[in-house]
Amino acid sequence: MSDNRPIGIFDSGLGGLTVTKEIIRCLPNEDIVYFGDTSRVPYGTKGAQTIKRYAKEDERFLLSKDVKLIVAACGTVSSVAPDTALDLPVPFIEVISHSVDAAIKATKNKKIGVLATAATIKSGAHKNKILKKMPDALVTEVSGSLLVSLVEEGFTDKNDPLTLEAVKKYVKPFIENKVDTVILGCTHFPIIAEAISKVLGENVTLINMGVATALAVKETLCRLDLLNNSGGNHRFYVSDKGAEFKKTASILLGEEIDENNIETAVIDTI
């Protein structure tokens, strides 16, 4: 049996396209509807109640597209507002739990780093989940907000001096605490994973939450018999289509996006 309804994915902006890229790679026959709330990005600097309201509105938009599963491809929503999914009529997957599981599996010295936005770090979501499963772990958390801007401006080359200097500043606590595993807790960060790895060294494992999430999506669809065997169409919606949208989106998705597959959406506010 095949379920041809699309997978719904949302993020505060375009960073969730790195998660989308991994889901497409893992499940090439699935149709996908992506929503980026580009008119209200970033969520990471907003208060918890505002983030929860935005998340509910994003979820409601995806439900209007008859999706069969919703992915919160946003570290901030996943850490601050996962409870907004409690009343959803479809399965819901956030990006933190699966990243934590991957990090715990990967670490050898139980010293784990988390590189994320300010709101995600403030929530303590990664740290709390890690310590619940590995009480003797040492968790080092770092807010790396400037790195988001560097990615969106296209400073993504592993040898770019500006990016390398910023990375060096942010990952210093990881080096000092001898972490051997770092969760890239913001969807933008996999784009500069090579630069981060160059500074930290090849002995430090980087956890791409897009990969961990894609595997969780596949497992859920298989378990619930919701796989699509004949799809592969992708639609992209944004709440504001800025001048640099296509450039930034293509960087994050890793391929050119067809203009015909991009629409500006009006979100019903609560």
Side-chain angles (χ1 to χ4, degrees):
M1 183 176 178
S2 180
D3 190 324
N4 61 8
R5 291 177 298 165
I7 296 169
I9 305 171
F10 77 93
D11 184 27
S12 58
L14 301 180
L17 289 172
T18 61
V19 177
T20 304
K21 175 173 69 174
E22 299 301 336
I23 292 174
I24 291 172
R25 183 178 297 169
C26 188
L27 294 161
N29 292 324
E30 294 293 335
D31 290 344
I32 287 173
V33 173
Y34 179 89
F35 173 67
D37 195 7
T38 47
S39 67
R40 301 188 294 195
V41 69
Y43 285 5
T45 58
K46 308 292 194 303
Q49 291 307 310
T50 298
I51 294 169
K52 289 181 179 182
R53 176 165 57 85
Y54 288 177
K56 288 180 180 178
E57 292 167 357
D58 299 346
E59 290 159 3
R60 189 165 62 177
F61 172 77
L62 289 176
L63 289 175
S64 75
K65 301 301 177 183
D66 192 30
V67 298
K68 61 185 175 185
L69 177 147
I70 290 179
V71 178
C74 175
T76 300
V77 168
S78 297
S79 60
V80 177
D83 56 325
T84 60
L86 293 176
D87 297 324
L88 289 176
V90 297
F92 174 85
I93 291 178
E94 41 82 16
V95 294
I96 290 182
S97 298
H98 311 292
S99 304
V100 165
D101 289 342
I104 289 174
K105 185 176 180 180
T107 186
K108 294 180 175 63
N109 66 5
K110 299 184 180 181
K111 296 179 179 180
I112 300 173
V114 180
L115 184 63
T117 63
T120 298
I121 296 299
K122 185 178 179 181
S123 76
H126 289 91
K127 185 174 184 178
N128 293 338
K129 289 180 183 296
I130 291 170
L131 294 179
K132 186 174 182 179
K133 295 188 175 185
M134 186 180 278
D136 56 343
L138 173 66
V139 183
T140 303
E141 300 173 293
V142 174
S143 171
S145 301
L146 176 60
L147 297 177
V148 175
S149 299
L150 287 172
V151 169
E152 293 195 344
E153 290 296 325
F155 295 98
T156 59
D157 189 276
K158 66 178 180 180
N159 297 313
D160 188 284
L162 184 60
T163 301
L164 283 174
E165 283 303 310
V167 168
K168 287 176 184 177
K169 170 178 168 45
Y170 284 123
V171 305
K172 187 177 179 181
F174 299 151
I175 296 172
E176 292 174 343
N177 291 337
K178 296 182 171 59
V179 305
D180 73 346
T181 304
V182 174
I183 297 173
L184 302 180
C186 172
T187 49
H188 285 66
F189 296 165
I191 301 299
I192 53 171
E194 288 187 337
I196 295 171
S197 186
K198 183 175 182 178
V199 176
L200 288 175
E202 60 183 20
N203 291 327
V204 176
T205 300
L206 301 183
I207 303 299
N208 180 340
M209 61 186 181
V211 174
T213 302
L215 292 173
V217 170
K218 183 175 183 178
E219 186 278 328
T220 301
L221 294 182
C222 289
R223 176 167 45 83
L224 298 177
D225 196 23
L226 296 175
L227 284 171
N228 185 354
N229 300 316
S230 58
N233 296 314
H234 311 136
R235 300 292 305 174
F236 303 93
Y237 295 86
V238 289
S239 51
D240 180 64
K241 190 175 172 183
E244 294 295 305
F245 167 79
K246 186 176 180 182
K247 172 188 171 185
T248 302
S250 296
I251 290 173
L252 295 169
L253 191 63
E255 62 183 61
E256 285 291 317
I257 296 179
D258 188 339
E259 287 280 359
N260 294 322
N261 291 333
I262 305 168
E263 295 183 37
T264 301
V266 176
I267 298 300
D268 292 330
T269 56
I270 298 174

